[in-house]
Amino acid sequence: LVMAGLELRKVSKRSSCEPEGGPLEGSRRRKDPAERLAEANKLSACALSAKVKKHLRLQEPGGEGVPVSLCVFSASDIAEWDRTFCMDLLRSNMKDIYGDEWDEKEKEEEFLEEDARIVLVHQYQEVPVNDDGAGPAKCRGTPTRRSCGKGSCVGFAHFRFVEEHGAIVLYVYELQLTEAARGRGIGKLVMGTLKSVALSSGMGGVMLTCFKHNVPAMRFYKALGYTIDAISPSNCDAEYEEEDCNYEILSDIWDPSAKEALAKSRDLARADAKIARAAHAAGLDA
């Protein structure tokens, strides 16, 4: 990852492993979307961490043989020092990219919201040692920077289960890595893990928002197969101009019903934009 910050959630304040039958099979898909969303939001941080660990057991270590551990925390149980690390990293990576739109208080509040889920990314040395250098560290329970000897937190992701224009999705609010952790496949591993969590939790896809001028981040997500979503501003107005908006909504949607709902919202937005332009042209300025 050759970039400062990989993504941001801008459009709305509301915003684990793939089932063997694939994303459209299994009992979850027979449930009402609202029920699936409610069930996903009831998942504890421990249950989500178990999904993450199950997915990671099927993967190669992230980047040049360096082991990576991912653990999920809710806003209420993340340690203060880890929250501080996340905010410091977010500020370092994204403040300049946001420019005048940077609002640190808003970002801090997002971390404290009930439905926020934070994934901490720990990267370990090949042979972690205890603080006294006596031998390998023994990690018990949830790994943290303190419990894993020389292990260090090198990034985080912030995600939520939300409803977007009739589609239930896992929305990635943030994906941030330290400079030293970039370019090692860790970002790709984290995004693959989040997709796995979305699949096993009954979501219809993964969505995120990215500044258009954050070119490395846009390139990263598109390389993973993300495309500009139906409800992204550039798709919601037939006469959209590049200067009209500085971000795009990107997505990987696999549920046909979610795709249909998003396309319907896009068509309604296009019709509204057309009416607004006609009214303005007629001097009625809606």
Side-chain angles (χ1 to χ4, degrees), residues 62-209:
E64 300 182 10
V66 180
V68 172
S69 175
L70 309 179
C71 278
V72 183
F73 296 84
S74 65
S76 61
D77 61 20
I78 189 171
E80 183 62 33
W81 60 82
D82 284 324
R83 184 182 295 112
T84 299
F85 164 82
C86 292
M87 284 305 305
D88 288 347
L89 180 59
L90 177 60
R91 184 188 309 108
S92 174
N93 284 353
M94 299 302 297
K95 185 174 181 179
D96 289 344
I97 293 175
Y98 268 87
D100 292 341
E101 296 183 23
W102 174 255
D103 187 335
E104 186 150 336
K105 182 179 180 181
E106 180 181 58
K107 289 297 182 183
E108 290 174 347
E109 290 174 349
E110 284 180 354
F111 260 74
L112 299 175
E113 291 176 4
E114 184 178 359
D115 55 352
R117 300 290 183 268
I118 309 299
V119 181
L120 293 182
V121 184
H122 289 84
Q123 179 175 295
Y124 304 106
Q125 295 178 352
E126 292 186 8
V127 184
V129 296
N130 290 320
D131 291 338
D132 59 6
K138 294 182 179 180
C139 300
R140 299 182 177 85
T142 301
T144 68
R145 285 177 290 154
R146 290 186 174 181
S147 68
C148 291
K150 299 297 182 179
S152 60
C153 195
V154 297
F156 75 95
H158 171 187
F159 75 91
R160 306 186 190 193
F161 300 113
V162 301
E163 182 272 329
E164 284 291 332
H165 298 267
I168 57 170
V169 299
L170 184 153
Y171 212 114
V172 183
Y173 275 60
E174 304 287 350
L175 173 57
Q176 305 292 337
L177 296 176
T178 62
E179 185 174 358
R182 298 172 205 153
R184 311 194 72 181
I186 297 174
K188 180 179 180 180
L189 180 66
V190 173
M191 289 302 295
T193 303
L194 292 179
K195 180 176 180 177
S196 180
V197 170
L199 282 161
S200 68
S201 302
M203 298 296 100
V206 177
M207 298 180 76
L208 57 96
T209 309

